[in-house]
Amino acid sequence: MSISSRMSARLSALGACAALLTAGLAGPAAAAAPGTAAASDAAAPTVNLATNPGFEIPASSLADWGSVPGWRCSGGPAEASVTTAAPHSGGSALAVTPAGDESTGECAQTVSVQPGATYTASAWVRGKFVFLGATDGTDRPTAPAWTEDTHGGWQKLTTRFTAGPTATTVRLAVHGWYQQGPFAVDDVRVDGPAPAPATAAPSVPTSDKVVFFTIDDGWQTSPEAERFITDHQLPITAFPLPMAAAADPGYFQRVTAVPGSSVQDHSVSHPDLTKLSPAEQQVEICDARDSLTRLFGTAPTVFRPPFFSWNADTLQAAANCGMRTVLTADADFSWGASNIWHEGTLSPGDVVLMHWSDTLAGDLQRALAAAGTAGLKPAGLTSYLR
């Protein structure tokens, strides 16, 4: 099909979409007039669940190169970047220039929601044919809010959606249209009830004679540790930083191949979260979740705070990123240590901390011996946290 034919088909589809929205047949989406708010805003809840909604949080040096914190843009840095030129508010906004005939310049993020709850999504946009929409966990699309042309100014788009009865996440997306030029986005909101805060735990409540081996960071991938895990069929929970995992994803796939093993969230850049704002904490946790999900195909549900440092904001930020548990530990066998932070030997449900390092094979051997002395065996963590 020629470019002109494809454009004709796309413009016809765009016209059909516009007709449905104008006729009120596509659902409750609406576009407010430039400089005004939709009438439903006054009654909307005040909790904003969007990650980096104003594009004010800078990217970590350990984040995916060229990424926009909190967002995944289809064209990457070739299309999407943060700009300080004439934002709607604050100091920056998202600027997107779709590259080529086949791109709409979509930028999206995953938002955690309560099943069955109703939310209002909004964003301020600038450009021609800009869209805002959401898809819930049952893949039901929400009628998008859109504008034909903001005439060089900022315009607020607003749409409402109800999460499916089993949905715990929605995919929020903004995009332009084919060959309609650049657009900008700022001050995104997803207003509605937040998920319940994650549960903080140093151990797992169980009377089963099991312990849980957890291994952090991932900068040193030890072949000896891989052989020990494979030979002993040890279920482990890996908490790698995304950049470390991306350097050798095959290694982490192999060491978590034992049934019960999994890869979980440890933040993007290993900061002391208590020194960050709630919004910055959410970026650290959600971006790590997204990177690990792309690498390994399964979204983490457990968060290990760096340095075991967390506060109430961490528990809510973790929940907003889909984490059910913020997990520390009650024993440390890293780098030759054998520290148990309670009296006696290892106990049922204990979580053992280790690190990916050149001592890990010996650390695993020592931890396994300590578990055996206590009459315990390693088990898969996530099945005990459900």
Side-chain angles (χ1 to χ4, degrees):
M1 180 183 290
S2 67
I3 292 176
S4 60
S5 297
R6 289 197 298 271
M7 279 300 299
S8 177
R10 288 165 177 167
L11 290 173
S12 295
L14 181 58
C17 177
L20 285 172
L21 289 172
T22 302
L25 300 177
T36 65
S40 60
D41 281 359
T46 58
V47 177
N48 183 10
L49 297 176
T51 302
N52 194 17
F55 306 96
E56 305 289 341
I57 298 174
S60 162
S61 61
L62 296 181
D64 293 343
W65 181 82
S67 64
V68 176
W71 296 84
R72 181 68 173 175
C73 297
S74 59
E79 289 191 344
S81 62
V82 174
T83 180
T84 57
H88 174 256
S89 72
S92 56
L94 177 68
V96 183
T97 303
D101 300 331
E102 301 299 323
S103 177
T104 63
E106 181 187 76
C107 290
Q109 65 174 250
T110 299
V111 181
S112 293
V113 296
Q114 291 188 15
T118 297
Y119 295 84
T120 300
S122 63
W124 288 86
V125 302
R126 185 176 60 206
K128 294 182 178 180
F129 292 107
V130 189
F131 293 75
L132 168 72
T135 303
D136 75 7
T138 58
D139 293 326
R140 298 182 306 176
T142 296
W146 68 286
T147 180
E148 181 175 351
D149 193 344
T150 68
H151 302 288
W154 287 96
Q155 179 175 336
K156 189 176 185 181
L157 303 181
T158 302
T159 185
R160 303 189 73 184
F161 61 87
T162 299
T166 61
T168 57
T169 63
V170 297
R171 183 177 185 271
L172 180 74
V174 291
H175 64 86
W177 199 251
Y178 303 97
Q179 297 187 2
Q180 297 302 304
F183 63 92
V185 183
D186 203 358
D187 297 329
V188 180
R189 298 191 65 90
V190 179
D191 289 313
T199 299
S203 60
V204 178
T206 180
S207 59
D208 291 354
K209 293 185 177 298
V210 296
V211 292
F212 305 98
F213 289 175
T214 65
I215 312 175
D216 285 9
D217 295 353
W219 294 115
Q220 290 181 280
T221 53
S222 163
E224 295 80 11
E226 180 183 349
R227 285 195 294 270
F228 190 88
I229 291 167
T230 300
D231 291 347
H232 292 81
Q233 287 294 284
L234 287 181
I236 64 157
T237 303
F239 288 93
L241 300 176
M243 185 175 284
D248 191 356
Y251 179 87
F252 291 97
Q253 289 171 335
R254 295 192 300 272
V255 296
T256 57
V258 176
S261 297
S262 64
V263 176
Q264 301 295 334
D265 195 323
H266 193 38
S267 81
V268 170
S269 63
H270 208 278
D272 179 345
L273 294 174
T274 62
K275 297 180 180 179
L276 301 183
S277 69
E280 290 169 325
Q281 291 195 40
Q282 188 162 320
V283 165
E284 281 282 343
I285 302 170
C286 285
D287 276 5
R289 171 204 63 192
D290 293 344
S291 293
L292 295 172
T293 302
R294 290 194 297 271
L295 284 171
F296 303 111
T298 301
T301 57
V302 183
F303 176 63
R304 163 68 55 77
F307 313 110
F308 291 177
S309 181
W310 59 273
N311 55 24
D313 290 335
T314 309
L315 300 183
Q316 189 60 63
N320 292 352
C321 297
M323 306 298 130
R324 296 193 293 269
T325 306
V326 172
L327 185 73
T328 55
D330 41 22
D332 182 5
F333 279 68
S334 303
W335 298 299
S338 298
N339 299 319
I340 300 172
W341 297 321
H342 58 68
E343 292 185 2
T345 61
L346 290 173
S347 301
D350 275 356
V351 174
V352 179
L353 170 69
M354 286 171 273
H355 287 80
W356 299 103
S357 69
D358 55 3
T359 69
L360 180 56
D363 298 339
L364 285 164
Q365 185 173 16
R366 202 168 55 261
L368 187 60
T373 297
L376 308 172
K377 63 180 182 180
L381 175 70
T382 54
S383 61
Y384 277 83
L385 291 176
R386 291 175 181 170

mmCIF file of all heavy atoms in Angstrom, residues 254-291:
data_model
loop_
_atom_site.group_PDB
_atom_site.id
_atom_site.type_symbol
_atom_site.label_atom_id
_atom_site.label_comp_id
_atom_site.label_asym_id
_atom_site.label_seq_id
_atom_site.Cartn_x
_atom_site.Cartn_y
_atom_site.Cartn_z
ATOM 1 N N ARG A 254 19.061 -18.035 33.934
ATOM 2 C CA ARG A 254 19.550 -19.371 34.308
ATOM 3 C C ARG A 254 19.511 -19.584 35.821
ATOM 4 O O ARG A 254 19.078 -20.635 36.289
ATOM 5 C CB ARG A 254 20.973 -19.591 33.777
ATOM 6 C CG ARG A 254 21.071 -19.619 32.255
ATOM 7 C CD ARG A 254 22.431 -20.115 31.798
ATOM 8 N NE ARG A 254 23.544 -19.292 32.275
ATOM 9 C CZ ARG A 254 24.013 -18.223 31.652
ATOM 10 N NH1 ARG A 254 23.428 -17.800 30.526
ATOM 11 N NH2 ARG A 254 25.047 -17.548 32.136
ATOM 12 N N VAL A 255 19.957 -18.582 36.584
ATOM 13 C CA VAL A 255 20.020 -18.788 38.033
ATOM 14 C C VAL A 255 18.648 -18.750 38.685
ATOM 15 O O VAL A 255 18.505 -19.164 39.840
ATOM 16 C CB VAL A 255 20.955 -17.761 38.706
ATOM 17 C CG1 VAL A 255 22.384 -17.948 38.239
ATOM 18 C CG2 VAL A 255 20.473 -16.332 38.491
ATOM 19 N N THR A 256 17.636 -18.284 37.969
ATOM 20 C CA THR A 256 16.271 -18.316 38.514
ATOM 21 C C THR A 256 15.407 -19.340 37.793
ATOM 22 O O THR A 256 14.178 -19.241 37.805
ATOM 23 C CB THR A 256 15.607 -16.920 38.423
ATOM 24 O OG1 THR A 256 15.616 -16.471 37.063
ATOM 25 C CG2 THR A 256 16.336 -15.911 39.304
ATOM 26 N N ALA A 257 16.047 -20.336 37.183
ATOM 27 C CA ALA A 257 15.297 -21.364 36.457
ATOM 28 C C ALA A 257 14.722 -22.431 37.377
ATOM 29 O O ALA A 257 13.797 -23.162 36.984
ATOM 30 C CB ALA A 257 16.191 -22.017 35.402
ATOM 31 N N VAL A 258 15.240 -22.561 38.593
ATOM 32 C CA VAL A 258 14.715 -23.545 39.538
ATOM 33 C C VAL A 258 13.295 -23.149 39.935
ATOM 34 O O VAL A 258 13.036 -21.969 40.230
ATOM 35 C CB VAL A 258 15.621 -23.630 40.785
ATOM 36 C CG1 VAL A 258 15.022 -24.578 41.822
ATOM 37 C CG2 VAL A 258 17.019 -24.072 40.394
ATOM 38 N N PRO A 259 12.338 -24.060 39.929
ATOM 39 C CA PRO A 259 10.966 -23.726 40.323
ATOM 40 C C PRO A 259 10.925 -23.019 41.676
ATOM 41 O O PRO A 259 11.602 -23.426 42.626
ATOM 42 C CB PRO A 259 10.269 -25.091 40.374
ATOM 43 C CG PRO A 259 11.027 -25.918 39.382
ATOM 44 C CD PRO A 259 12.455 -25.475 39.498
ATOM 45 N N GLY A 260 10.130 -21.968 41.743
ATOM 46 C CA GLY A 260 10.029 -21.167 42.960
ATOM 47 C C GLY A 260 10.897 -19.929 42.940
ATOM 48 O O GLY A 260 10.694 -19.017 43.736
ATOM 49 N N SER A 261 11.866 -19.893 42.031
ATOM 50 C CA SER A 261 12.739 -18.729 41.921
ATOM 51 C C SER A 261 12.030 -17.600 41.188
ATOM 52 O O SER A 261 11.091 -17.823 40.426
ATOM 53 C CB SER A 261 14.022 -19.090 41.170
ATOM 54 O OG SER A 261 14.762 -20.070 41.870
ATOM 55 N N SER A 262 12.501 -16.361 41.380
ATOM 56 C CA SER A 262 11.921 -15.229 40.674
ATOM 57 C C SER A 262 12.895 -14.057 40.688
ATOM 58 O O SER A 262 13.875 -14.032 41.440
ATOM 59 C CB SER A 262 10.594 -14.794 41.309
ATOM 60 O OG SER A 262 10.794 -14.313 42.631
ATOM 61 N N VAL A 263 12.608 -13.067 39.828
ATOM 62 C CA VAL A 263 13.348 -11.815 39.796
ATOM 63 C C VAL A 263 12.428 -10.723 40.320
ATOM 64 O O VAL A 263 11.304 -10.561 39.829
ATOM 65 C CB VAL A 263 13.825 -11.472 38.367
ATOM 66 C CG1 VAL A 263 14.511 -10.105 38.340
ATOM 67 C CG2 VAL A 263 14.764 -12.554 37.843
ATOM 68 N N GLN A 264 12.907 -9.963 41.311
ATOM 69 C CA GLN A 264 12.078 -8.956 41.949
ATOM 70 C C GLN A 264 12.763 -7.590 41.927
ATOM 71 O O GLN A 264 13.869 -7.444 41.427
ATOM 72 C CB GLN A 264 11.742 -9.389 43.382
ATOM 73 C CG GLN A 264 10.995 -10.717 43.473
ATOM 74 C CD GLN A 264 9.607 -10.693 42.846
ATOM 75 O OE1 GLN A 264 8.969 -9.643 42.750
ATOM 76 N NE2 GLN A 264 9.121 -11.853 42.407
ATOM 77 N N ASP A 265 12.113 -6.578 42.453
ATOM 78 C CA ASP A 265 12.462 -5.165 42.288
ATOM 79 C C ASP A 265 13.409 -4.681 43.391
ATOM 80 O O ASP A 265 13.170 -4.925 44.572
ATOM 81 C CB ASP A 265 11.154 -4.359 42.320
ATOM 82 C CG ASP A 265 11.291 -2.942 41.801
ATOM 83 O OD1 ASP A 265 12.330 -2.313 42.044
ATOM 84 O OD2 ASP A 265 10.343 -2.461 41.153
ATOM 85 N N HIS A 266 14.469 -3.953 42.975
ATOM 86 C CA HIS A 266 15.430 -3.419 43.947
ATOM 87 C C HIS A 266 15.757 -1.954 43.654
ATOM 88 O O HIS A 266 16.796 -1.454 44.092
ATOM 89 C CB HIS A 266 16.704 -4.268 43.921
ATOM 90 C CG HIS A 266 17.651 -4.040 45.064
ATOM 91 N ND1 HIS A 266 17.230 -3.797 46.362
ATOM 92 C CD2 HIS A 266 19.019 -4.022 45.101
ATOM 93 C CE1 HIS A 266 18.291 -3.650 47.142
ATOM 94 N NE2 HIS A 266 19.385 -3.764 46.407
ATOM 95 N N SER A 267 14.897 -1.266 42.905
ATOM 96 C CA SER A 267 15.055 0.135 42.504
ATOM 97 C C SER A 267 15.943 0.248 41.273
ATOM 98 O O SER A 267 16.570 -0.723 40.842
ATOM 99 C CB SER A 267 15.604 1.021 43.639
ATOM 100 O OG SER A 267 17.013 0.906 43.755
ATOM 101 N N VAL A 268 16.014 1.449 40.711
ATOM 102 C CA VAL A 268 16.846 1.710 39.531
ATOM 103 C C VAL A 268 18.288 1.986 39.912
ATOM 104 O O VAL A 268 19.220 1.413 39.359
ATOM 105 C CB VAL A 268 16.277 2.904 38.725
ATOM 106 C CG1 VAL A 268 17.258 3.340 37.641
ATOM 107 C CG2 VAL A 268 14.938 2.545 38.102
ATOM 108 N N SER A 269 18.490 2.861 40.903
ATOM 109 C CA SER A 269 19.845 3.358 41.161
ATOM 110 C C SER A 269 20.342 3.141 42.582
ATOM 111 O O SER A 269 21.352 3.713 42.978
ATOM 112 C CB SER A 269 19.923 4.852 40.833
ATOM 113 O OG SER A 269 19.051 5.599 41.678
ATOM 114 N N HIS A 270 19.623 2.321 43.364
ATOM 115 C CA HIS A 270 20.067 1.940 44.708
ATOM 116 C C HIS A 270 20.237 3.145 45.642
ATOM 117 O O HIS A 270 21.245 3.279 46.340
ATOM 118 C CB HIS A 270 21.384 1.161 44.620
ATOM 119 C CG HIS A 270 21.575 0.198 45.760
ATOM 120 N ND1 HIS A 270 22.048 0.591 46.992
ATOM 121 C CD2 HIS A 270 21.377 -1.142 45.839
ATOM 122 C CE1 HIS A 270 22.132 -0.456 47.787
ATOM 123 N NE2 HIS A 270 21.722 -1.524 47.124
ATOM 124 N N PRO A 271 19.244 4.052 45.715
ATOM 125 C CA PRO A 271 19.362 5.193 46.625
ATOM 126 C C PRO A 271 18.828 4.869 48.019
ATOM 127 O O PRO A 271 18.135 3.870 48.233
ATOM 128 C CB PRO A 271 18.472 6.241 45.952
ATOM 129 C CG PRO A 271 17.359 5.402 45.386
ATOM 130 C CD PRO A 271 18.003 4.110 44.937
ATOM 131 N N ASP A 272 19.117 5.736 48.964
ATOM 132 C CA ASP A 272 18.422 5.730 50.246
ATOM 133 C C ASP A 272 17.067 6.390 49.998
ATOM 134 O O ASP A 272 16.971 7.608 49.842
ATOM 135 C CB ASP A 272 19.238 6.516 51.273
ATOM 136 C CG ASP A 272 18.553 6.577 52.645
ATOM 137 O OD1 ASP A 272 17.345 6.266 52.739
ATOM 138 O OD2 ASP A 272 19.226 6.976 53.611
ATOM 139 N N LEU A 273 16.025 5.600 49.954
ATOM 140 C CA LEU A 273 14.713 6.110 49.568
ATOM 141 C C LEU A 273 14.176 7.134 50.556
ATOM 142 O O LEU A 273 13.377 8.000 50.175
ATOM 143 C CB LEU A 273 13.731 4.956 49.417
ATOM 144 C CG LEU A 273 14.017 3.986 48.266
ATOM 145 C CD1 LEU A 273 13.056 2.815 48.308
ATOM 146 C CD2 LEU A 273 13.941 4.690 46.921
ATOM 147 N N THR A 274 14.581 7.062 51.798
ATOM 148 C CA THR A 274 14.051 8.000 52.787
ATOM 149 C C THR A 274 14.521 9.423 52.526
ATOM 150 O O THR A 274 13.989 10.368 53.108
ATOM 151 C CB THR A 274 14.450 7.594 54.214
ATOM 152 O OG1 THR A 274 15.882 7.626 54.346
ATOM 153 C CG2 THR A 274 13.953 6.191 54.531
ATOM 154 N N LYS A 275 15.516 9.587 51.659
ATOM 155 C CA LYS A 275 15.991 10.920 51.297
ATOM 156 C C LYS A 275 15.329 11.452 50.029
ATOM 157 O O LYS A 275 15.660 12.547 49.569
ATOM 158 C CB LYS A 275 17.508 10.897 51.128
ATOM 159 C CG LYS A 275 18.258 10.547 52.412
ATOM 160 C CD LYS A 275 19.756 10.538 52.210
ATOM 161 C CE LYS A 275 20.482 10.196 53.516
ATOM 162 N NZ LYS A 275 21.959 10.158 53.325
ATOM 163 N N LEU A 276 14.386 10.681 49.469
ATOM 164 C CA LEU A 276 13.702 11.074 48.247
ATOM 165 C C LEU A 276 12.254 11.443 48.547
ATOM 166 O O LEU A 276 11.661 10.970 49.518
ATOM 167 C CB LEU A 276 13.732 9.936 47.227
ATOM 168 C CG LEU A 276 15.102 9.415 46.787
ATOM 169 C CD1 LEU A 276 14.928 8.345 45.721
ATOM 170 C CD2 LEU A 276 15.987 10.542 46.283
ATOM 171 N N SER A 277 11.669 12.252 47.673
ATOM 172 C CA SER A 277 10.244 12.579 47.776
ATOM 173 C C SER A 277 9.421 11.349 47.395
ATOM 174 O O SER A 277 9.930 10.412 46.758
ATOM 175 C CB SER A 277 9.899 13.728 46.841
ATOM 176 O OG SER A 277 9.996 13.296 45.485
ATOM 177 N N PRO A 278 8.133 11.322 47.763
ATOM 178 C CA PRO A 278 7.286 10.202 47.333
ATOM 179 C C PRO A 278 7.286 10.012 45.820
ATOM 180 O O PRO A 278 7.323 8.871 45.338
ATOM 181 C CB PRO A 278 5.899 10.589 47.853
ATOM 182 C CG PRO A 278 6.173 11.463 49.035
ATOM 183 C CD PRO A 278 7.407 12.229 48.677
ATOM 184 N N ALA A 279 7.268 11.110 45.052
ATOM 185 C CA ALA A 279 7.262 10.995 43.589
ATOM 186 C C ALA A 279 8.559 10.388 43.080
ATOM 187 O O ALA A 279 8.560 9.575 42.145
ATOM 188 C CB ALA A 279 7.035 12.364 42.961
ATOM 189 N N GLU A 280 9.680 10.764 43.685
ATOM 190 C CA GLU A 280 10.960 10.208 43.270
ATOM 191 C C GLU A 280 11.072 8.732 43.641
ATOM 192 O O GLU A 280 11.620 7.925 42.885
ATOM 193 C CB GLU A 280 12.098 11.006 43.911
ATOM 194 C CG GLU A 280 12.249 12.409 43.359
ATOM 195 C CD GLU A 280 13.187 13.264 44.182
ATOM 196 O OE1 GLU A 280 13.214 13.115 45.429
ATOM 197 O OE2 GLU A 280 13.903 14.096 43.587
ATOM 198 N N GLN A 281 10.544 8.375 44.798
ATOM 199 C CA GLN A 281 10.529 6.967 45.179
ATOM 200 C C GLN A 281 9.715 6.148 44.175
ATOM 201 O O GLN A 281 10.125 5.050 43.767
ATOM 202 C CB GLN A 281 9.945 6.801 46.581
ATOM 203 C CG GLN A 281 10.810 7.354 47.696
ATOM 204 C CD GLN A 281 10.379 6.851 49.063
ATOM 205 O OE1 GLN A 281 10.023 5.680 49.224
ATOM 206 N NE2 GLN A 281 10.417 7.722 50.068
ATOM 207 N N GLN A 282 8.582 6.690 43.766
ATOM 208 C CA GLN A 282 7.732 5.962 42.824
ATOM 209 C C GLN A 282 8.442 5.748 41.494
ATOM 210 O O GLN A 282 8.326 4.674 40.893
ATOM 211 C CB GLN A 282 6.417 6.716 42.623
ATOM 212 C CG GLN A 282 5.392 5.943 41.799
ATOM 213 C CD GLN A 282 3.986 6.487 41.970
ATOM 214 O OE1 GLN A 282 3.583 6.850 43.074
ATOM 215 N NE2 GLN A 282 3.233 6.536 40.886
ATOM 216 N N VAL A 283 9.193 6.736 41.021
ATOM 217 C CA VAL A 283 9.950 6.571 39.786
ATOM 218 C C VAL A 283 10.990 5.461 39.945
ATOM 219 O O VAL A 283 11.146 4.602 39.064
ATOM 220 C CB VAL A 283 10.625 7.892 39.377
ATOM 221 C CG1 VAL A 283 11.704 7.651 38.320
ATOM 222 C CG2 VAL A 283 9.586 8.857 38.822
ATOM 223 N N GLU A 284 11.720 5.457 41.062
ATOM 224 C CA GLU A 284 12.739 4.443 41.283
ATOM 225 C C GLU A 284 12.146 3.031 41.235
ATOM 226 O O GLU A 284 12.711 2.120 40.628
ATOM 227 C CB GLU A 284 13.432 4.668 42.630
ATOM 228 C CG GLU A 284 14.471 5.760 42.630
ATOM 229 C CD GLU A 284 15.794 5.315 42.008
ATOM 230 O OE1 GLU A 284 16.024 4.115 41.879
ATOM 231 O OE2 GLU A 284 16.594 6.201 41.651
ATOM 232 N N ILE A 285 11.003 2.857 41.872
ATOM 233 C CA ILE A 285 10.407 1.517 41.965
ATOM 234 C C ILE A 285 9.709 1.133 40.666
ATOM 235 O O ILE A 285 9.891 0.025 40.149
ATOM 236 C CB ILE A 285 9.438 1.444 43.159
ATOM 237 C CG1 ILE A 285 10.175 1.780 44.465
ATOM 238 C CG2 ILE A 285 8.815 0.054 43.256
ATOM 239 C CD1 ILE A 285 9.263 1.973 45.671
ATOM 240 N N CYS A 286 8.902 2.042 40.120
ATOM 241 C CA CYS A 286 8.153 1.711 38.899
ATOM 242 C C CYS A 286 9.071 1.508 37.699
ATOM 243 O O CYS A 286 8.851 0.595 36.888
ATOM 244 C CB CYS A 286 7.137 2.812 38.589
ATOM 245 S SG CYS A 286 5.670 2.831 39.630
ATOM 246 N N ASP A 287 10.099 2.335 37.557
ATOM 247 C CA ASP A 287 10.993 2.172 36.407
ATOM 248 C C ASP A 287 11.777 0.869 36.497
ATOM 249 O O ASP A 287 12.023 0.214 35.476
ATOM 250 C CB ASP A 287 11.936 3.363 36.295
ATOM 251 C CG ASP A 287 11.308 4.539 35.555
ATOM 252 O OD1 ASP A 287 10.113 4.446 35.211
ATOM 253 O OD2 ASP A 287 12.007 5.538 35.331
ATOM 254 N N ALA A 288 12.176 0.474 37.702
ATOM 255 C CA ALA A 288 12.840 -0.822 37.853
ATOM 256 C C ALA A 288 11.880 -1.953 37.494
ATOM 257 O O ALA A 288 12.258 -2.912 36.810
ATOM 258 C CB ALA A 288 13.354 -0.981 39.281
ATOM 259 N N ARG A 289 10.648 -1.836 37.967
ATOM 260 C CA ARG A 289 9.629 -2.842 37.599
ATOM 261 C C ARG A 289 9.507 -2.971 36.086
ATOM 262 O O ARG A 289 9.503 -4.087 35.537
ATOM 263 C CB ARG A 289 8.280 -2.433 38.189
ATOM 264 C CG ARG A 289 7.095 -3.261 37.709
ATOM 265 C CD ARG A 289 5.794 -2.492 37.824
ATOM 266 N NE ARG A 289 5.791 -1.300 36.969
ATOM 267 C CZ ARG A 289 4.875 -0.340 37.047
ATOM 268 N NH1 ARG A 289 3.910 -0.402 37.950
ATOM 269 N NH2 ARG A 289 4.941 0.710 36.224
ATOM 270 N N ASP A 290 9.400 -1.834 35.397
ATOM 271 C CA ASP A 290 9.204 -1.873 33.950
ATOM 272 C C ASP A 290 10.412 -2.474 33.231
ATOM 273 O O ASP A 290 10.256 -3.259 32.292
ATOM 274 C CB ASP A 290 8.923 -0.471 33.426
ATOM 275 C CG ASP A 290 7.596 0.087 33.911
ATOM 276 O OD1 ASP A 290 6.762 -0.697 34.385
ATOM 277 O OD2 ASP A 290 7.405 1.313 33.840
ATOM 278 N N SER A 291 11.613 -2.103 33.662
ATOM 279 C CA SER A 291 12.815 -2.641 33.024
ATOM 280 C C SER A 291 12.916 -4.144 33.214
ATOM 281 O O SER A 291 13.211 -4.891 32.271
ATOM 282 C CB SER A 291 14.062 -1.956 33.593
ATOM 283 O OG SER A 291 14.108 -0.593 33.235
#
